[in-house]
Amino acid sequence: MPNLLHKHGLVTDKKTAPILDIKALKDSGEFEGYGSTFGGEPDAYGDVIAAGAYTDSLASHNAKGTMPKLFWQHNADEPIGKWLGAKEDDHGLLLNGKLNMDVQRGREAHALLKAGDIDGLSIGYRIKEYSVDTDSGVWTLEKLDLVEVSIVSVGANENAVVQSVKAAKAAHDLIERLKAGDRLTEREFETWLKGLGFTNSQAERAARVCLKGQGEPADAENEELAFLRALTA
């Protein structure tokens, strides 16, 4: 599954950290588990998924007679079965699926799950709506387009992938706000810069330069926009 940001369509492909909650594994390859959970503490990437985030996506899949794909390690070249059902409950996104026992990777996944060597699910999705807490920097993901759910072990590069996708989306949204004439507080600007990968001190310094420079407000706004465009060029 490619990790892409389609800037013009404002579509981000992203994956979660694994949820270690696969259960009810049968010899036939059928199993169920949670692909993600709602609310609670932010995950390792500073995200919280809101209850109802998958409602529209699941309804769309149902209307089209489709389901998210079931991959091995988010690799679109390695489908290992299919998801039979997906629903939201009070805890999160509950899925039931069936591994394809006629393909080698499906049998390998079954053996590893049965032995307890791996037990993680991770979702691949596109962010449709979200909000950011400017004090904590936590992203609340409010509406998601569910693309695939994979059986995974812990990916060594997962954090870098997620952060790069979040940074690109944050930059796009910030540029759109500035183009619309929105004026940001220093704290808001710092939060967005941290989302772009700046350290705390770098974000604070950049915010001071961009928001407290000399000139008329319109000039400062143009400087902010040029600054963000330079970062994302």
Side-chain angles (χ1 to χ4, degrees):
M1 190 70 181
N3 303 299
L4 300 175
L5 174 80
H6 305 286
K7 291 187 178 180
H8 300 294
L10 196 58
V11 176
T12 51
D13 290 337
K14 184 177 175 184
K15 305 171 182 66
T16 59
I19 299 294
L20 305 181
D21 198 1
I22 291 179
K23 54 187 177 180
L25 178 67
K26 299 179 180 180
D27 289 342
S28 62
E30 293 184 23
F31 69 101
E32 67 176 26
Y34 283 95
S36 74
T37 55
F38 296 141
E41 293 297 316
D43 65 18
Y45 314 124
D47 294 343
V48 171
I49 297 179
Y54 304 102
T55 300
D56 289 353
S57 185
L58 293 179
S60 178
H61 277 295
N62 185 60
K64 294 184 291 186
T66 61
M67 288 292 293
K69 299 298 184 180
L70 172 54
F71 294 147
W72 173 253
Q73 306 285 1
H74 295 298
N75 188 347
D77 293 330
E78 293 192 284
I80 56 173
K82 60 184 176 181
W83 292 110
L84 304 174
K87 65 179 183 180
E88 293 175 305
D89 63 16
D90 292 340
H91 185 60
L93 177 66
L94 180 62
L95 304 114
N96 60 81
K98 188 177 189 305
L99 296 168
N100 188 336
M101 303 297 282
D102 291 329
V103 299
Q104 180 177 338
R105 186 64 82 186
R107 293 192 298 272
E108 291 174 350
H110 185 271
L112 290 167
L113 290 169
K114 187 173 183 179
D117 295 331
I118 60 172
D119 57 358
L121 289 178
S122 176
I123 61 175
Y125 56 88
R126 297 184 178 100
I127 301 171
K128 309 300 284 188
E129 294 181 9
Y130 71 100
S131 59
V132 181
D133 186 311
T134 56
D135 291 323
S136 65
V138 171
W139 287 47
T140 297
L141 308 182
E142 299 164 344
K143 185 179 292 186
L144 303 173
D145 179 17
L146 185 61
V147 178
E148 54 94 5
V149 186
S150 290
I151 293 176
V152 298
S153 52
V154 178
N157 296 321
E158 189 72 14
N159 188 55
V161 169
V162 169
Q163 292 303 328
S164 65
V165 170
K166 284 177 67 174
K169 181 163 178 62
H172 180 283
D173 289 356
L174 180 51
I175 288 173
E176 290 301 307
R177 287 190 62 181
L178 294 173
K179 284 168 64 177
D182 289 353
R183 298 293 293 156
L184 303 179
T185 67
E186 185 173 343
R187 181 177 290 277
E188 285 178 318
F189 201 62
E190 286 178 17
T191 297
W192 286 107
L193 291 178
K194 290 172 186 176
L196 290 168
F198 281 59
T199 65
N200 289 346
S201 61
Q202 288 173 334
E204 291 168 3
R205 189 161 55 248
R208 285 197 299 271
V209 170
C210 288
L211 300 182
K212 293 186 177 181
Q214 301 297 315
E216 296 299 320
D219 294 332
E221 182 180 305
N222 289 334
E223 290 172 5
E224 295 165 18
L225 186 54
F227 176 68
L228 267 297
R229 280 176 170 159
L231 288 175
T232 56

